[in-house]
Amino acid sequence: MAETFTALQVSEPEPKIFSRQIIQRSIDDLPAGELLVRVRYSSLNYKDALSASGHPGVTRQFPHTPGIDAAGEVVSCSDGRFAPGAAVIVTSYDLGMETDGGFGQYIRVPSAWALPLPAGLSLRSSMIFGTAGLTAALALQALQQQGVAAGSPVLVTGATGAVGSLAVLLLSRAGYAVTAASGKPEQADWLRQLGAQDVIDRAAAVAGADKPLLKPRWAGVVDGVGGATLAAALKACRYDGVVACYGLVGSPELSLNVYPFILRGVRLLGIDSAECPMSRRQQAWQLLADAASQLPLDQLVTEIGLKQLEDYLRAMLAGQSHGRVLIRL
């Protein structure tokens, strides 16, 4: 095993001034934990871009290596939970936030954070999904468990994003009539290729957000935008509609009356992958593993190396990314 490894490191040379560079790190400098993993693949998420730019809501301690996703082989496990050489996935919890993450060739974490790579997934395909896929799978399961039947009309907001695009893919495969809302009209054909039956502009998804109620349209919604988009989606749900909310790229605020809840019985569900219990996490990963061979994953992904990561971080922070960015370590 190499004593040093390559990683992206974010530093704070002056207060609130952050720099990024690819460096050689020592394995001995990794944080404490029972599990040492040789990372083969990671992926780029919006939370990673925030961490890499010094956002205090994600990371406060520097120098730091971001990356909330990692997949690779076990090097050692001091508590015996995993055998050396076992293929594992590590996502969420504190990985890539205050704990050095997957944008380096090695991570050391608590063994309870890892799960065995499910049959049906390769290390590569697991990171095409990553936290985004886990979140989309949890949203799909939430709609199914709340009784939203296959064939029903479902809206996906922020549809060109990492979670949104995977939600379009998974929901359409599960038989839902998916409408994708996006502010990137040039990606409409791509969204249809993923399975969207209809594509609408983000302005159409927000229209009427200031009204008490809207014409009932959606049996289910998967929302990653928040704010007025989420308010309009709730007001446009049919009776017994279900909205699964996982993000806030538009706004963390929600200005809303109670009419959707008391007149139509609409349910608003929060989707969290960071602290999701392991049993539920394993079920969601198994859903992804079962679906993987039937999904056009390569249509979703751009594969890069660490040296290319800076350009993609900048694009994500500027709102210019779409789909998934897979990082080969």
Side-chain angles (χ1 to χ4, degrees):
M1 181 182 69
E3 294 183 357
T4 62
F5 65 95
T6 304
L8 176 74
Q9 187 173 79
V10 183
S11 301
E12 188 177 13
E14 300 177 34
K16 299 184 180 180
I17 302 297
F18 299 92
S19 63
R20 298 186 287 265
Q21 59 183 332
I22 296 172
I23 66 165
Q24 290 296 304
R25 295 195 61 191
S26 170
I27 288 176
D28 291 339
D29 291 337
L30 287 170
E34 302 88 8
L35 185 68
L36 180 65
V37 177
R38 171 59 168 97
V39 179
R40 299 298 179 183
Y41 291 96
S42 184
S43 68
L44 178 59
N45 301 277
Y46 188 64
K47 187 178 285 187
D48 300 320
L50 294 177
S51 175
S53 59
H55 193 291
V58 180
T59 303
R60 293 180 179 271
Q61 301 298 319
F62 297 90
H64 173 67
T65 295
I68 65 171
D69 290 341
E73 298 100 4
V74 172
V75 176
S76 62
C77 185
S78 62
D79 65 1
R81 189 187 293 256
F82 295 97
V88 294
I89 299 170
V90 185
T91 68
S92 314
Y93 301 106
D94 190 53
L95 184 71
M97 296 176 68
E98 299 296 354
T99 300
D100 288 324
F103 293 174
Q105 292 174 322
Y106 287 86
I107 57 171
R108 185 156 50 213
V109 297
S111 62
W113 290 5
L115 58 84
L117 182 74
L121 287 179
S122 64
L123 292 173
R124 182 179 184 273
S125 62
S126 75
M127 289 294 97
I128 296 177
F129 287 122
T131 291
L134 173 61
T135 304
L138 290 169
L140 168 59
Q141 289 178 323
L143 265 59
Q144 292 174 326
Q145 291 162 3
Q146 292 293 318
V148 181
S152 301
V154 172
L155 173 69
V156 177
T157 68
T160 58
V163 180
S165 56
L166 282 163
V168 170
L169 202 61
L170 292 173
L171 288 161
S172 61
R173 175 189 174 273
Y176 293 98
V178 177
T179 293
S182 171
K184 299 175 181 175
E186 71 277 8
Q187 300 297 337
D189 288 343
W190 177 71
L191 289 168
R192 290 189 176 92
Q193 290 172 15
L194 296 183
Q197 293 188 12
D198 192 16
V199 179
I200 61 174
D201 185 78
R202 67 166 64 132
V206 176
D210 56 338
K211 296 180 179 180
L213 276 176
L214 295 171
K215 180 180 178 180
R217 186 173 182 183
W218 314 117
V221 178
V222 175
D223 175 66
V225 180
T229 300
L230 176 56
L234 286 159
K235 293 175 181 179
C237 275
R238 296 178 175 182
Y239 192 86
D240 263 350
V242 180
V243 177
C245 173
Y246 68 86
L248 44 68
V249 296
S251 171
E253 304 300 327
L254 181 59
S255 178
L256 189 67
N257 60 58
V258 299
Y259 293 143
F261 309 111
I262 65 174
L263 297 182
R264 293 183 183 165
V266 174
R267 286 154 286 170
L268 174 59
L269 307 177
I271 303 298
D272 167 64
S273 62
E275 298 294 335
C276 177
M278 184 56 75
S279 59
R280 196 183 308 161
R281 185 182 298 264
Q282 289 172 328
Q283 292 172 0
W285 275 108
Q286 191 58 58
L287 182 156
L288 295 173
D290 292 343
S293 64
Q294 304 170 44
L295 298 177
L297 294 181
D298 284 335
Q299 291 184 20
L300 277 171
V301 68
T302 300
E303 184 171 339
I304 64 171
L306 266 184
K307 291 182 179 180
Q308 300 164 276
L309 183 53
E310 178 64 26
D311 290 340
Y312 286 85
L313 282 167
R314 291 179 182 274
M316 179 164 282
L317 289 167
Q320 297 171 350
S321 62
H322 74 278
R324 297 288 286 146
V325 177
L326 179 72
I327 303 162
R328 183 179 58 254
L329 275 298

